[in-house]
Amino acid sequence: MEKFTKLTGVAAPLPVVNVDTDMIIPKDYLKTIKRTGLGKGLFAEARYKEDGSENPDFVLNKPAYRNAKIIVAGDNFGCGSSREHAPWALLDFGIRCVISTSFADIFYNNCFKNGILPIVVSQDDLDKLMDDASRGSNAVLTVDLEAQEITGPDGGSIRFDIDPARRHILLEGLDDIASTLKSESVIGSFEQKLSTERPWL
């Protein structure tokens, strides 16, 4: 998993509450278990018209936001079903950070497992960041995970809190398997001791 230390990129404003996982990646795209190729389905029902052409009014189709790396969203982002395809689609599109006032628990946990940083901020701070994100091509934010700070295009900064263990996972780029392998010697010692003491197991 790619490490997350400091991210500088365009932030796309999505001032919508209760963005669910079906909106993030519609069910039509859930037939694959691959993590790649899902970026084209990200927000598909909002990004595309019925004939398959792009909806020019959707934020990620606007020229300034086509390469957005950050989404600033309304409350309760990632609610709905537990599909892990949602963070896969965000990551495949190029989104590495989502900022909101709250997240659904399962989506929030899945983000850390896939190298995406979900940041919880106050409503006042979200309003400031939403204003920053509405500046089009000037909507550049810098997210510094080590310093736990978001810097806006005008130089103003906002601090955020994050669980130290989750922060460590992202800074080191550790998925569940890599995290387990960090304790490989301890696990090996335990298994060896167990097989000696209880050979019948």
mmCIF file of all heavy atoms in Angstrom, residues 51-80:
data_model
loop_
_atom_site.group_PDB
_atom_site.id
_atom_site.type_symbol
_atom_site.label_atom_id
_atom_site.label_comp_id
_atom_site.label_asym_id
_atom_site.label_seq_id
_atom_site.Cartn_x
_atom_site.Cartn_y
_atom_site.Cartn_z
ATOM 1 N N ASP A 51 -27.451 8.360 -21.733
ATOM 2 C CA ASP A 51 -26.845 7.910 -22.984
ATOM 3 C C ASP A 51 -25.351 7.624 -22.854
ATOM 4 O O ASP A 51 -24.671 7.281 -23.817
ATOM 5 C CB ASP A 51 -27.081 8.932 -24.104
ATOM 6 C CG ASP A 51 -26.421 10.283 -23.817
ATOM 7 O OD1 ASP A 51 -25.727 10.412 -22.779
ATOM 8 O OD2 ASP A 51 -26.594 11.215 -24.628
ATOM 9 N N GLY A 52 -24.824 7.753 -21.628
ATOM 10 C CA GLY A 52 -23.417 7.459 -21.379
ATOM 11 C C GLY A 52 -22.493 8.655 -21.507
ATOM 12 O O GLY A 52 -21.308 8.551 -21.161
ATOM 13 N N SER A 53 -23.004 9.765 -21.961
ATOM 14 C CA SER A 53 -22.174 10.969 -22.083
ATOM 15 C C SER A 53 -22.013 11.623 -20.711
ATOM 16 O O SER A 53 -22.796 11.381 -19.788
ATOM 17 C CB SER A 53 -22.804 11.957 -23.065
ATOM 18 O OG SER A 53 -24.070 12.392 -22.601
ATOM 19 N N GLU A 54 -20.990 12.444 -20.585
ATOM 20 C CA GLU A 54 -20.710 13.081 -19.308
ATOM 21 C C GLU A 54 -21.746 14.144 -18.965
ATOM 22 O O GLU A 54 -22.225 14.861 -19.843
ATOM 23 C CB GLU A 54 -19.320 13.731 -19.322
ATOM 24 C CG GLU A 54 -18.182 12.750 -19.274
ATOM 25 C CD GLU A 54 -16.840 13.448 -19.086
ATOM 26 O OE1 GLU A 54 -16.797 14.701 -19.147
ATOM 27 O OE2 GLU A 54 -15.836 12.743 -18.886
ATOM 28 N N ASN A 55 -22.048 14.224 -17.691
ATOM 29 C CA ASN A 55 -22.900 15.295 -17.179
ATOM 30 C C ASN A 55 -21.983 16.472 -16.845
ATOM 31 O O ASN A 55 -21.215 16.403 -15.887
ATOM 32 C CB ASN A 55 -23.644 14.825 -15.927
ATOM 33 C CG ASN A 55 -24.386 15.945 -15.219
ATOM 34 O OD1 ASN A 55 -24.507 17.050 -15.744
ATOM 35 N ND2 ASN A 55 -24.864 15.668 -14.023
ATOM 36 N N PRO A 56 -22.031 17.555 -17.627
ATOM 37 C CA PRO A 56 -21.093 18.666 -17.418
ATOM 38 C C PRO A 56 -21.287 19.390 -16.087
ATOM 39 O O PRO A 56 -20.403 20.132 -15.650
ATOM 40 C CB PRO A 56 -21.373 19.600 -18.597
ATOM 41 C CG PRO A 56 -22.773 19.293 -19.003
ATOM 42 C CD PRO A 56 -22.973 17.836 -18.727
ATOM 43 N N ASP A 57 -22.428 19.174 -15.444
ATOM 44 C CA ASP A 57 -22.712 19.857 -14.187
ATOM 45 C C ASP A 57 -22.099 19.158 -12.967
ATOM 46 O O ASP A 57 -22.011 19.757 -11.899
ATOM 47 C CB ASP A 57 -24.227 19.979 -13.974
ATOM 48 C CG ASP A 57 -24.889 20.868 -15.014
ATOM 49 O OD1 ASP A 57 -24.230 21.833 -15.469
ATOM 50 O OD2 ASP A 57 -26.040 20.589 -15.383
ATOM 51 N N PHE A 58 -21.697 17.883 -13.136
ATOM 52 C CA PHE A 58 -21.134 17.181 -11.986
ATOM 53 C C PHE A 58 -19.704 17.641 -11.743
ATOM 54 O O PHE A 58 -18.902 17.782 -12.668
ATOM 55 C CB PHE A 58 -21.175 15.666 -12.186
ATOM 56 C CG PHE A 58 -20.738 14.909 -10.960
ATOM 57 C CD1 PHE A 58 -21.527 14.914 -9.815
ATOM 58 C CD2 PHE A 58 -19.535 14.234 -10.932
ATOM 59 C CE1 PHE A 58 -21.123 14.248 -8.663
ATOM 60 C CE2 PHE A 58 -19.127 13.557 -9.793
ATOM 61 C CZ PHE A 58 -19.920 13.563 -8.651
ATOM 62 N N VAL A 59 -19.360 17.849 -10.490
ATOM 63 C CA VAL A 59 -18.105 18.503 -10.129
ATOM 64 C C VAL A 59 -16.867 17.826 -10.725
ATOM 65 O O VAL A 59 -15.960 18.509 -11.221
ATOM 66 C CB VAL A 59 -17.976 18.633 -8.583
ATOM 67 C CG1 VAL A 59 -17.944 17.271 -7.913
ATOM 68 C CG2 VAL A 59 -16.779 19.484 -8.207
ATOM 69 N N LEU A 60 -16.795 16.505 -10.724
ATOM 70 C CA LEU A 60 -15.587 15.829 -11.217
ATOM 71 C C LEU A 60 -15.471 15.854 -12.739
ATOM 72 O O LEU A 60 -14.430 15.475 -13.282
ATOM 73 C CB LEU A 60 -15.536 14.388 -10.702
ATOM 74 C CG LEU A 60 -15.380 14.221 -9.189
ATOM 75 C CD1 LEU A 60 -15.324 12.754 -8.813
ATOM 76 C CD2 LEU A 60 -14.138 14.950 -8.670
ATOM 77 N N ASN A 61 -16.519 16.310 -13.431
ATOM 78 C CA ASN A 61 -16.452 16.466 -14.887
ATOM 79 C C ASN A 61 -16.043 17.876 -15.290
ATOM 80 O O ASN A 61 -15.788 18.135 -16.467
ATOM 81 C CB ASN A 61 -17.804 16.132 -15.528
ATOM 82 C CG ASN A 61 -18.111 14.646 -15.476
ATOM 83 O OD1 ASN A 61 -17.204 13.824 -15.377
ATOM 84 N ND2 ASN A 61 -19.380 14.298 -15.537
ATOM 85 N N LYS A 62 -15.983 18.774 -14.338
ATOM 86 C CA LYS A 62 -15.567 20.142 -14.646
ATOM 87 C C LYS A 62 -14.048 20.181 -14.792
ATOM 88 O O LYS A 62 -13.327 19.514 -14.043
ATOM 89 C CB LYS A 62 -16.033 21.095 -13.537
ATOM 90 C CG LYS A 62 -17.559 21.182 -13.466
ATOM 91 C CD LYS A 62 -18.033 22.111 -12.362
ATOM 92 C CE LYS A 62 -19.566 22.168 -12.346
ATOM 93 N NZ LYS A 62 -20.084 23.065 -11.295
ATOM 94 N N PRO A 63 -13.545 20.924 -15.783
ATOM 95 C CA PRO A 63 -12.097 20.916 -16.071
ATOM 96 C C PRO A 63 -11.210 21.119 -14.848
ATOM 97 O O PRO A 63 -10.187 20.446 -14.704
ATOM 98 C CB PRO A 63 -11.942 22.069 -17.072
ATOM 99 C CG PRO A 63 -13.265 22.141 -17.766
ATOM 100 C CD PRO A 63 -14.288 21.786 -16.716
ATOM 101 N N ALA A 64 -11.602 22.002 -13.950
ATOM 102 C CA ALA A 64 -10.755 22.307 -12.791
ATOM 103 C C ALA A 64 -10.624 21.138 -11.824
ATOM 104 O O ALA A 64 -9.660 21.078 -11.044
ATOM 105 C CB ALA A 64 -11.315 23.522 -12.051
ATOM 106 N N TYR A 65 -11.584 20.202 -11.857
ATOM 107 C CA TYR A 65 -11.617 19.141 -10.846
ATOM 108 C C TYR A 65 -11.380 17.743 -11.416
ATOM 109 O O TYR A 65 -11.500 16.767 -10.676
ATOM 110 C CB TYR A 65 -12.958 19.167 -10.116
ATOM 111 C CG TYR A 65 -13.215 20.472 -9.388
ATOM 112 C CD1 TYR A 65 -14.150 21.379 -9.869
ATOM 113 C CD2 TYR A 65 -12.524 20.797 -8.222
ATOM 114 C CE1 TYR A 65 -14.396 22.579 -9.206
ATOM 115 C CE2 TYR A 65 -12.756 21.987 -7.555
ATOM 116 C CZ TYR A 65 -13.692 22.877 -8.043
ATOM 117 O OH TYR A 65 -13.919 24.060 -7.391
ATOM 118 N N ARG A 66 -11.044 17.632 -12.675
ATOM 119 C CA ARG A 66 -10.861 16.304 -13.286
ATOM 120 C C ARG A 66 -9.726 15.514 -12.643
ATOM 121 O O ARG A 66 -9.726 14.287 -12.663
ATOM 122 C CB ARG A 66 -10.627 16.434 -14.783
ATOM 123 C CG ARG A 66 -11.879 16.724 -15.561
ATOM 124 C CD ARG A 66 -11.635 16.697 -17.063
ATOM 125 N NE ARG A 66 -12.875 16.914 -17.785
ATOM 126 C CZ ARG A 66 -13.723 15.955 -18.134
ATOM 127 N NH1 ARG A 66 -13.459 14.710 -17.794
ATOM 128 N NH2 ARG A 66 -14.824 16.232 -18.792
ATOM 129 N N ASN A 67 -8.756 16.214 -12.108
ATOM 130 C CA ASN A 67 -7.623 15.533 -11.469
ATOM 131 C C ASN A 67 -7.600 15.759 -9.960
ATOM 132 O O ASN A 67 -6.541 15.749 -9.339
ATOM 133 C CB ASN A 67 -6.305 16.014 -12.092
ATOM 134 C CG ASN A 67 -6.206 15.634 -13.561
ATOM 135 O OD1 ASN A 67 -6.425 14.485 -13.923
ATOM 136 N ND2 ASN A 67 -5.901 16.603 -14.405
ATOM 137 N N ALA A 68 -8.787 15.957 -9.386
ATOM 138 C CA ALA A 68 -8.877 16.183 -7.944
ATOM 139 C C ALA A 68 -8.315 14.993 -7.168
ATOM 140 O O ALA A 68 -8.488 13.840 -7.564
ATOM 141 C CB ALA A 68 -10.328 16.435 -7.541
ATOM 142 N N LYS A 69 -7.620 15.286 -6.077
ATOM 143 C CA LYS A 69 -7.072 14.249 -5.205
ATOM 144 C C LYS A 69 -7.774 14.214 -3.848
ATOM 145 O O LYS A 69 -7.559 13.306 -3.057
ATOM 146 C CB LYS A 69 -5.571 14.492 -4.975
ATOM 147 C CG LYS A 69 -4.732 14.369 -6.236
ATOM 148 C CD LYS A 69 -3.276 14.618 -5.924
ATOM 149 C CE LYS A 69 -2.418 14.509 -7.185
ATOM 150 N NZ LYS A 69 -0.994 14.793 -6.896
ATOM 151 N N ILE A 70 -8.592 15.249 -3.604
ATOM 152 C CA ILE A 70 -9.259 15.405 -2.311
ATOM 153 C C ILE A 70 -10.730 15.723 -2.565
ATOM 154 O O ILE A 70 -11.054 16.435 -3.519
ATOM 155 C CB ILE A 70 -8.614 16.563 -1.508
ATOM 156 C CG1 ILE A 70 -7.120 16.293 -1.293
ATOM 157 C CG2 ILE A 70 -9.335 16.793 -0.178
ATOM 158 C CD1 ILE A 70 -6.328 17.517 -0.862
ATOM 159 N N ILE A 71 -11.605 15.188 -1.727
ATOM 160 C CA ILE A 71 -13.025 15.548 -1.777
ATOM 161 C C ILE A 71 -13.404 16.165 -0.433
ATOM 162 O O ILE A 71 -13.071 15.626 0.624
ATOM 163 C CB ILE A 71 -13.920 14.327 -2.063
ATOM 164 C CG1 ILE A 71 -13.757 13.873 -3.519
ATOM 165 C CG2 ILE A 71 -15.393 14.652 -1.787
ATOM 166 C CD1 ILE A 71 -14.564 12.646 -3.893
ATOM 167 N N VAL A 72 -14.068 17.315 -0.503
ATOM 168 C CA VAL A 72 -14.622 17.956 0.692
ATOM 169 C C VAL A 72 -16.128 17.740 0.618
ATOM 170 O O VAL A 72 -16.787 18.252 -0.286
ATOM 171 C CB VAL A 72 -14.287 19.455 0.747
ATOM 172 C CG1 VAL A 72 -14.864 20.077 2.008
ATOM 173 C CG2 VAL A 72 -12.775 19.674 0.687
ATOM 174 N N ALA A 73 -16.665 16.943 1.545
ATOM 175 C CA ALA A 73 -18.046 16.477 1.422
ATOM 176 C C ALA A 73 -18.890 16.805 2.646
ATOM 177 O O ALA A 73 -18.374 17.111 3.717
ATOM 178 C CB ALA A 73 -18.055 14.964 1.189
ATOM 179 N N GLY A 74 -20.205 16.698 2.452
ATOM 180 C CA GLY A 74 -21.160 16.914 3.537
ATOM 181 C C GLY A 74 -21.145 15.782 4.552
ATOM 182 O O GLY A 74 -20.429 14.789 4.405
ATOM 183 N N ASP A 75 -21.960 15.930 5.563
ATOM 184 C CA ASP A 75 -21.999 15.022 6.703
ATOM 185 C C ASP A 75 -22.382 13.589 6.316
ATOM 186 O O ASP A 75 -23.097 13.365 5.341
ATOM 187 C CB ASP A 75 -23.025 15.565 7.716
ATOM 188 C CG ASP A 75 -22.933 14.868 9.055
ATOM 189 O OD1 ASP A 75 -21.829 14.799 9.610
ATOM 190 O OD2 ASP A 75 -23.971 14.396 9.540
ATOM 191 N N ASN A 76 -21.879 12.619 7.089
ATOM 192 C CA ASN A 76 -22.236 11.198 6.976
ATOM 193 C C ASN A 76 -21.827 10.611 5.625
ATOM 194 O O ASN A 76 -22.598 9.901 4.974
ATOM 195 C CB ASN A 76 -23.740 11.002 7.215
ATOM 196 C CG ASN A 76 -24.098 9.556 7.498
ATOM 197 O OD1 ASN A 76 -23.300 8.795 8.029
ATOM 198 N ND2 ASN A 76 -25.310 9.175 7.132
ATOM 199 N N PHE A 77 -20.603 10.857 5.230
ATOM 200 C CA PHE A 77 -20.096 10.351 3.954
ATOM 201 C C PHE A 77 -19.825 8.850 4.058
ATOM 202 O O PHE A 77 -19.284 8.373 5.048
ATOM 203 C CB PHE A 77 -18.801 11.075 3.575
ATOM 204 C CG PHE A 77 -18.323 10.808 2.179
ATOM 205 C CD1 PHE A 77 -18.764 11.582 1.124
ATOM 206 C CD2 PHE A 77 -17.429 9.776 1.915
ATOM 207 C CE1 PHE A 77 -18.329 11.348 -0.170
ATOM 208 C CE2 PHE A 77 -16.980 9.526 0.629
ATOM 209 C CZ PHE A 77 -17.430 10.313 -0.418
ATOM 210 N N GLY A 78 -20.209 8.103 3.020
ATOM 211 C CA GLY A 78 -19.932 6.668 2.971
ATOM 212 C C GLY A 78 -20.938 5.795 3.688
ATOM 213 O O GLY A 78 -20.651 4.641 4.009
ATOM 214 N N CYS A 79 -22.138 6.326 3.936
ATOM 215 C CA CYS A 79 -23.175 5.523 4.593
ATOM 216 C C CYS A 79 -23.724 4.478 3.615
ATOM 217 O O CYS A 79 -23.337 4.429 2.465
ATOM 218 C CB CYS A 79 -24.292 6.427 5.125
ATOM 219 S SG CYS A 79 -25.087 7.449 3.872
ATOM 220 N N GLY A 80 -24.638 3.637 4.098
ATOM 221 C CA GLY A 80 -25.219 2.612 3.229
ATOM 222 C C GLY A 80 -24.523 1.278 3.385
ATOM 223 O O GLY A 80 -24.023 0.941 4.456
#
